[in-house]
Amino acid sequence: MVRKEATRLVAALFRASNTGVSASWSVGGTRLKSAMPQPQESKDEDLHHKDGKVLHPHLLNENVVKTQYAVRGELYLRAEQLRKEGKEIIFTNVGNPHALGAKPLTFPRQVTALCAAPFLLDHPRVEEIFPADAIARAKKILGAFKGGVGAYTDSRGNPLVREEVARFIEKRDGVASNPDHIFLTDGASVAVRLCLNAMIRHERDAVLVPIPQYPLYSASIRLYGGTLVGYYLDERRGWGLSIEEMRRALKEAREEGKLVRGLVFINPGNPTGQCLSQENLKELIQFAYEERIVLMADEVYQENVYQDERPFVSAKKVMHDMGEPYRSHVELLSFHTVSKGTAGECGLRGGYVEMSNIHPGAVEEVYKCASINLSPNTIGQIALSCLVNPPKPGDPSYELYTKEKASELASLRRRAHMVTDGFNSLEGVTCNFTEGAMYSFPQIKLPPKAMEAAKAAGKAADVFYCLKLLETTGISTVPGSGFGQEEGTFHLRTTILPREEVMSHFVEKFEKFHKDFMKQYS
């Protein structure tokens, strides 16, 4: 009966708004009045310009205005302002390895340099400066990139590089890969947005996303007019994944009339740093099969693993090993990039998505949309080529390449322990170990006086804490509210990327700040 009354109420209010009547309705004896603007009122959406401007902030696409991206939000903007004023800032708000002192791997940069400046190949001393395998790779790439790096490629990316990506996947997983179902993009983020844009048709279309989540997903889903449905990771179980929690989120979304079309998981996790087990992946794949949902496997941190119990295994491999009906029926989108791992080439913007079991007609439609941008950037494609097809044993560059990678991974593992141990030594701070990826996500138990001070300042409590941390120490982090968190809990995300000599200084500065903060507000 209540549902019928609610339906009549909504219908009446919409009829009233369309006819210009000031509408009201009675439900259970309570008089309700429409809050909708009446037609005689001037609405921004009907205006062509405002204050002399067509592109006025009040006249923009509603989804653009409502889109939020915490990683480059209030804290980042304040950090930039302080930097311009001369304060030293440690930017741990974003996974940007080279900005925090990581050195580029030698072989990919040598190949990139030769491809960007091909006249070097004709220099009489080129073989003294560059190893033979870098020279050979550059010549092979330039032979495939007609017109060199300054010319457009196929909108999916150069066929040679797509073939190399397919061979990389086959070697990693033991499963065939179709180069025509691989799209090279300007970083994995572009690939994610390309797929979400194709998937989301209207606001009833929903995507399941882990909470805490990487804001790329909340921002993109909002931008394309869809709905994010969060499923919570269990912090008490090391940010564990629960199929029961997914079923709860799915059930509630469907009861609200949502059409859940996609399921995102990030392995290793961002911002939470957990690594999924093969059993977790099997559960995800079975869930997607049973519920007819597209799996979106964000696997950009697959090289960044700092424990030995759960090495990275791709969703595609697990899906194939499960056999039928999963192998041929689960729709899977797998993402990877050159921005993470030991390469850390964020600025070169190279990434890909592999589409498994996607309808060929849908692949063609995505290809059409990719064509709007004409071509992914060529330098990013070359960086990706070097990532998926590195020097082999016996090649001149092999020893140095493997040494550089091993050294960086070992250092990242040590830094993961430094940060986690530092957080857990502090009063009121708990932090699960960073098993993978590039971040720690500690929970901060804030005292009541700090909560009151935050409220008085008009800030969320975690934003208040992070702003104080920034102002006092120059450490730029991201509040947990930017990723989503359980009600009544407060977190922050920091990278583990500052170099080891800087990281010890980072831990010391954070420890002093936190003790002073707790003393001030206790």
Side-chain angles (χ1 to χ4, degrees):
M1 189 67 184
V2 173
R3 181 169 290 182
K4 287 183 179 178
E5 285 292 314
T7 303
R8 291 169 62 201
L9 166 63
V10 172
L13 293 180
F14 272 100
R15 285 198 305 273
S17 70
N18 290 334
T19 57
V21 178
S22 180
S24 64
W25 197 258
S26 179
V27 177
T30 301
R31 179 66 59 179
L32 301 177
K33 186 176 178 62
S34 172
M36 297 180 181
Q38 301 306 307
Q40 61 266 29
E41 297 177 7
S42 176
K43 295 185 288 185
D44 282 346
E45 65 190 50
D46 297 325
L47 297 177
H48 171 62
H49 58 83
K50 188 173 184 178
D51 300 333
K53 298 292 182 182
V54 175
L55 281 179
H56 188 282
H58 294 172
L59 306 182
L60 298 178
N61 182 325
E62 179 184 84
N63 292 329
V64 170
V65 176
K66 290 182 177 179
T67 296
Q68 301 289 330
Y69 187 67
V71 175
R72 293 290 177 96
E74 178 184 1
L75 267 293
Y76 172 77
L77 296 175
R78 178 58 180 149
E80 274 294 299
Q81 182 182 359
L82 290 171
R83 183 187 63 79
K84 291 175 183 176
E85 293 172 2
K87 188 176 184 67
E88 182 182 355
I89 303 296
I90 304 175
F91 284 99
T92 68
N93 60 299
V94 64
N96 194 10
H98 291 191
L100 291 168
K103 301 299 182 186
L105 299 175
T106 303
F107 177 77
R109 285 299 184 94
Q110 289 172 330
V111 174
T112 302
L114 289 168
C115 290
F119 51 82
L120 292 175
L121 292 167
D122 298 323
H123 194 281
R125 296 182 58 199
V126 65
E127 293 181 359
E128 298 176 29
I129 302 170
F130 295 93
D133 53 347
I135 294 171
R137 174 64 68 82
K139 288 180 177 179
K140 181 178 180 180
I141 289 172
L142 289 171
F145 280 65
K146 304 305 180 185
V149 299
Y152 292 133
T153 68
D154 184 276
S155 299
R156 287 171 300 188
N158 186 277
L160 169 69
V161 183
R162 285 189 283 119
E163 183 68 33
E164 288 178 315
V165 171
R167 299 295 80 78
F168 162 79
I169 293 168
E170 290 176 1
K171 181 179 179 182
R172 183 193 66 190
D173 299 337
V175 184
S177 177
N178 183 351
D180 290 337
H181 289 181
I182 293 169
F183 287 74
L184 310 186
T185 53
D186 294 341
S189 297
V190 172
V192 168
R193 296 202 304 272
L194 185 67
C195 295
L196 287 173
N197 193 26
M199 183 183 297
I200 295 170
R201 302 163 299 178
H202 44 66
E203 68 177 353
R204 289 180 62 209
D205 282 346
V207 181
L208 283 162
V209 177
I211 303 297
Q213 57 98 25
Y214 176 42
L216 163 68
Y217 294 98
S218 55
S220 300
I221 292 167
R222 172 73 264 181
L223 186 62
Y224 298 134
T227 300
L228 183 149
V229 175
Y231 64 90
Y232 284 92
L233 302 177
D234 189 345
E235 185 171 10
R236 290 166 290 278
R237 293 193 305 112
W239 297 112
L241 184 149
S242 165
I243 293 298
E244 290 73 26
E245 167 62 12
M246 285 187 185
R247 293 195 187 284
R248 176 206 62 78
L250 176 65
K251 182 174 181 289
E252 289 183 6
R254 286 177 172 168
E255 287 174 350
E256 294 172 4
K258 302 300 182 187
L259 303 172
V260 179
R261 292 166 60 78
L263 164 60
V264 173
F265 67 94
I266 307 173
N267 181 36
N270 176 11
T272 48
Q274 88 283 15
C275 295
L276 297 181
S277 66
Q278 290 196 45
E279 193 59 40
N280 288 149
L281 293 170
K282 287 178 182 178
E283 290 177 327
L284 282 166
I285 291 161
Q286 185 174 358
F287 178 79
Y289 173 76
E290 292 171 352
E291 303 295 346
R292 286 294 184 195
I293 296 174
V294 179
L295 274 180
M296 302 182 70
D298 186 332
E299 298 174 336
V300 301
Y301 297 101
Q302 59 189 259
E303 191 183 351
N304 298 97
V305 176
Y306 313 125
Q307 46 74 40
D308 302 318
E309 292 75 25
R310 288 180 304 285
F312 172 80
V313 181
S314 76
K316 181 174 181 178
K317 175 174 172 52
V318 173
M319 183 177 76
H320 185 269
D321 291 348
M322 288 174 71
E324 300 298 351
Y326 310 103
R327 179 185 298 175
S328 301
H329 291 87
V330 173
E331 297 170 80
L332 174 65
L333 302 168
S334 303
F335 305 95
H336 195 19
T337 183
V338 301
S339 298
K340 310 306 176 185
T342 52
E345 295 281 15
C346 298
L348 298 188
R349 312 309 300 138
Y352 73 79
V353 57
E354 183 197 25
M355 299 183 170
S356 303
N357 298 327
I358 304 298
H359 192 290
V363 176
E364 287 302 314
E365 293 298 326
V366 173
Y367 189 11
K368 176 184 69 179
C369 291
S371 299
I372 296 171
N373 289 330
L374 295 175
S375 165
N377 88 84
T378 52
I379 297 297
Q381 293 184 59
I382 293 168
L384 190 60
S385 168
C386 294
L387 172 74
V388 300
N389 187 14
K392 306 293 190 296
D395 290 345
S397 299
Y398 177 76
E399 185 177 344
L400 176 61
Y401 182 80
T402 53
K403 180 181 177 181
E404 289 174 340
K405 285 171 64 70
S407 174
E408 183 63 13
L409 270 178
S411 175
L412 282 165
R413 184 179 283 227
R414 289 192 295 270
R415 282 176 270 167
H417 281 282
M418 289 172 70
V419 175
T420 305
D421 292 347
F423 282 136
N424 284 324
S425 71
L426 300 176
E427 176 194 359
V429 180
T430 56
C431 186
N432 284 304
F433 176 62
T434 300
E435 298 176 344
M438 295 179 169
Y439 315 97
S440 287
F441 197 65
Q443 181 178 158
I444 317 289
K445 293 179 173 62
L446 298 174
K449 286 186 178 179
M451 308 273 281
E452 292 168 9
K455 185 176 181 181
K459 303 289 183 186
D462 53 356
V463 173
F464 180 78
Y465 181 92
C466 291
L467 278 171
K468 291 287 188 182
L469 173 67
L470 173 64
E471 300 276 356
T472 305
T473 67
I475 297 172
S476 177
T477 58
V478 187
S481 51
F483 302 92
Q485 54 196 351
E486 284 192 14
E487 188 73 25
T489 67
F490 303 100
H491 301 77
L492 62 82
R493 188 192 80 168
T494 178
T495 71
I496 61 167
L497 294 176
R499 308 312 293 174
E500 289 185 64
E501 60 273 15
V502 177
M503 186 60 79
S504 57
H505 182 52
F506 165 91
V507 171
E508 290 171 4
K509 292 178 78 170
F510 193 101
E511 180 180 3
K512 183 179 186 310
F513 162 79
H514 182 76
K515 288 179 178 178
D516 291 345
F517 181 93
M518 297 297 281
K519 183 178 180 181
Q520 179 181 354
Y521 291 103
S522 62

